[in-house]
Amino acid sequence: MPSLKTLILHPDAEVRSGIREALRGVKLVRVLGETVNADEALELHKAVGYGIIFLGFDYEEGINGAELAQALGASKHKPGLIFIAGDETKAYEAFELGAVDYLIWPPDEERMQKTLERIARFKSHFREIPEPSDWKESGTGVETGEETLQLSLGEDEQDKFLSALKNAWDFSQTRQPEIEKLPVNQDGRMMLIPYTQIIFVEAYEDYSYVHTANQKFLTSHRLKNLEERLGPHRFFRVHRKYLVNLEMVTEIASLPGSNFMLRTAGRTRIELPISRRRISKLKQILGM
């Protein structure tokens, strides 16, 4: 892939000049535009098709940086956004908008190098973020279109899982209605997904897919961060790539070879094998 066409959008001429200088000689990007107006940046993107846009949050006229990011979210090939700010106060908002990076200006050389590394990772999947290729599909329902994702659990992992399931089950008996929601940017819209609707979360590079019963959403959240955020709400990391909502456990199935399978709800189901010698403990936990 050729260098990413890059636009610099910032009201401060010194910042724009500094960005140009920092990118000088970097083959990864090619600066093909500079503006101080977000509305103009949107029109330029429609004409040029930028891969990277450096931008601030506030402008004297027209839409602001956050509104531009939402508008760009509807693009077929959404550009990577590098937000420039004077402090860290809007970092969370930037990453919720799907930013590739958030730079406190002026950055030192080491920090700028990290930005270039993030741009390089973004470039590798700029045209299209593919479906994960390492799923092991064991079957597709003819009528429902269900897909099953099989994950292995080691001996120690089974014990940890059963302990987490017990805690979730005990707590759910007196659980109050949840109001917690996860913000997800989808096609330029900020959607709020209740934790109770999330079945599982799947890591993908620096991103993650959030799966509900009927949809999945690509988010800028890392699985590690979501594990910290959702862990207190009965989510358990059953695999290095998967975080499961234990309250979505819907079925205990018997399989050949004296094994049992724990299944979750949803169109795409996760199957977790539980060894025969642990099934009695599982039944006790579930009150079976």
Side-chain angles (χ1 to χ4, degrees):
M1 183 186 296
S3 300
L4 290 171
K5 291 177 285 189
T6 302
L7 174 68
I8 300 174
L9 165 63
H10 203 278
D12 191 324
E14 291 187 5
V15 173
R16 296 197 305 274
S17 177
I19 295 172
R20 276 188 174 272
E21 184 61 31
L23 299 178
R24 189 183 303 278
V26 177
K27 296 181 180 180
L28 183 65
V29 298
R30 180 163 48 109
V31 178
L32 291 178
E34 191 175 303
T35 181
V36 299
N37 184 281
D39 292 276
E40 183 179 356
L42 188 57
E43 293 304 313
L44 285 169
H45 175 64
K46 291 178 181 178
V48 177
Y50 289 104
I52 291 292
I53 298 179
F54 285 82
L55 72 161
F57 272 97
D58 301 313
Y59 302 92
E60 293 184 1
E61 298 180 356
I63 62 176
N64 60 32
E67 292 168 330
L68 174 62
Q70 291 173 347
L72 290 170
S75 302
K76 182 178 181 180
H77 301 302
K78 180 183 175 182
L81 304 179
I82 312 295
F83 277 94
I84 305 294
D87 56 44
E88 71 282 354
T89 55
K90 293 189 176 181
Y92 180 79
E93 180 181 359
F95 285 113
E96 289 299 311
L97 289 167
V100 170
D101 202 3
Y102 181 91
L103 267 179
I104 297 177
W105 197 265
D108 57 30
E109 185 175 342
E110 182 178 353
R111 182 61 183 82
M112 192 65 198
Q113 182 59 40
K114 182 176 291 187
T115 294
L116 295 177
E117 291 172 359
R118 291 181 177 179
I119 292 175
R121 289 198 297 270
F122 169 81
K123 179 183 176 183
S124 68
H125 59 264
F126 169 56
R127 286 301 173 190
E128 180 179 3
I129 297 178
E131 298 291 337
S133 59
D134 58 350
W135 284 17
K136 180 181 179 183
E137 296 178 5
S138 63
T140 301
V142 175
E143 296 181 357
T144 64
E146 288 186 344
E147 296 177 347
T148 301
L149 174 62
Q150 295 181 337
L151 301 178
S152 61
L153 281 178
E155 292 289 312
D156 292 341
E157 292 174 317
Q158 289 186 38
D159 288 332
K160 291 178 182 178
F161 172 73
L162 290 173
S163 176
L165 183 63
K166 182 178 186 301
N167 292 335
W169 186 256
D170 289 344
F171 187 87
S172 67
Q173 306 307 309
T174 57
R175 181 175 63 86
Q176 298 298 314
E178 292 286 358
I179 59 173
E180 290 85 357
K181 298 180 180 181
L182 181 70
V184 172
N185 189 291
Q186 186 76 6
D187 297 327
R189 298 176 299 151
M190 186 61 70
M191 303 182 66
L192 299 175
I193 305 176
Y195 294 168
T196 52
Q197 292 183 13
I198 299 173
I199 296 176
F200 69 97
V201 183
E202 167 195 4
Y204 180 71
E205 295 187 353
D206 290 335
Y207 304 88
S208 62
Y209 285 104
V210 172
H211 292 253
T212 62
N214 299 310
Q215 292 178 277
K216 71 174 181 178
F217 305 89
L218 179 66
T219 80
S220 58
H221 301 287
R222 289 173 175 266
L223 188 65
K224 180 180 179 181
N225 295 335
L226 287 181
E227 181 182 9
E228 295 174 354
R229 180 170 182 164
L230 299 175
H233 300 275
R234 281 78 63 203
F235 282 74
F236 182 73
R237 192 161 180 174
V238 299
H239 185 271
R240 63 182 180 83
K241 289 188 62 177
Y242 296 95
L243 183 67
V244 175
N245 183 351
L246 296 178
E247 290 196 357
M248 287 293 185
V249 171
T250 61
E251 182 181 354
I252 304 296
S254 177
L255 297 177
S258 300
N259 285 325
F260 288 79
M261 198 66 73
L262 193 70
R263 288 178 176 165
T264 55
R267 186 170 58 188
T268 301
R269 302 179 300 177
I270 283 187
E271 292 188 347
L272 301 171
I274 302 297
S275 64
R276 189 172 185 80
R277 68 187 185 88
R278 288 182 172 84
I279 197 63
S280 59
K281 182 177 180 181
L282 176 61
K283 288 181 177 181
Q284 182 181 13
I285 289 172
L286 298 178
M288 299 171 61

